[in-house]
Structures are given as C-alpha cells and as structure tokens.
Amino acid sequence: QQQVKQSPQSLIVQKGGISIINCAYENTAFDYFPWYQQFPGKGPALLIAIRPDVSEKKEGRFTISFNKSAKQFSLHIMDSQPGDSATYFCAATDNTDKLIFGTGTRLQVFP
Amino acid sequence: ETGVTQSPTHLIKTRGQQVTLRCSSQSGHNTVSWYQQALGQGPQFIFQYYREEENGRGNFPPRFSGLQFPNYSSELNVNALELDDSALYLCASTPKGRLGKGEQFFGPGTRLTVL
C-alpha cells in the first residue's frame, strides 16, 4: 500500500516533442505529490508538485495532471529539450513527510 | 541563499567500519530527513529529525542512527558497515512551518562505497 509505481522505465523523445511519465499510488492518505529531476551524480531537484485539491498544475513547460479517483498522476514535459535529459522520479507522502519514491524514468531527448 | 550542503562528497570504507555523514540544512529550514539511494533506484527514507529528536523512521536497522544540532545541521551514523550499504546518501531539509507538508529540498549527496 506504500508503493508508488512509475512508468515507463525509460523514454526517448525527439527535441520539441512531449514527454509523458505516469505514476500510480494506493495509499489514499497521500496528500502531496512531487516530481524530482536528477542528473547523474547529483541530488534530486524539486521540479513541480501538486496536492489533491486540484487536477492540474502548470509551471513553464512542466505540467502535472492528477486523477484522484484513479489514484494516478503524470508529468508532461512540453517542447522537450536535450537539457531535460535526466532521470525523473515521482513521489508521494502524507503528513509523516516520509517521501515514497517511484522507481524512476530515464529520459533522453535527442536533437 | 545557500542550499542544502553535504560532506564529504565521496567516501570509501571497508566492511565492519563506522561512518559519519554530515548535512547542513538550507537557510530558513529546521527539519532534516535522510534518504538512501542505491544505484538505479529511487531514494528510500531512513529517518527525519525535528527539534533535535528523531521524528519518524523508515525500514532501516538500529545501526543507522542520527543527530540534529541546535543550528539544524545533522549527522547520519552507520555502524558495522555492510556491502549493501554502498549507496548515495541524501539529506533533505524542510522549511520552517512546513513540517508534515512534504516539501523537501535535497542536497547533492554523499557517495559511500563499502569494500
């Protein structure tokens, strides 16, 4: 019940395309859903996050779509750029602050 | 504004030894959480420190212990190192007043290799 399932494991997108990464959770007590971007050898950087009271949040080229009834959320990267090539992790937590991470998606954007 | 900092960057130890990793939280933050990230996997929660006390723990044995100091910095100690302890150890801090809201900002990590 504590798992967060993430797919796909890897993603190859052409420059200018849309990258879509999906996550699903089971624990209905989760109330905060962040996405982190991680480059090799670096710590995860908070990209964008959403709470269950809204169905979508957009920041620049990054959008989170949230479906509370399906217990799913996804990250959309519009106009993907080679500099977006990194590993992306979804996560979820409740009021314990214990972040439960997905298994990660390695995104490669080719020019 | 300085972000979360960790030291050392890299560390090599042998099985059975003890190690101490250090973390300085971001300015304006007062809660520190520690995570272990094995190669190719997502980070796993070890524990959180708030007001110098452990405030939640993940599924890690007692040989993983920590401290938080009055300036909100923190240490992670691991005794009796095992080969499987080889990982990137991440520290994350939470802004004051945001405990329980999930908002955590990560440092660059310490890469621990156990031989």
Side-chain angles (χ1 to χ4, degrees), chain A residues 98, chain B residues 45-47 54-65:
Chain A
K98 176 183 175 182
Chain B
F45 177 81
I46 303 175
F47 43 53
E54 188 178 290
N55 182 48
R57 188 179 186 93
N59 189 25
F60 281 82
R63 60 189 185 85
F64 285 78
S65 63

Side-chain angles (χ1 to χ4, degrees), chain A residues 37 58 60-61 66 68 82 101:
Chain A
Q37 178 190 57
K58 183 176 180 179
R61 297 185 295 110
F66 184 80
K68 188 174 181 178
F101 283 83

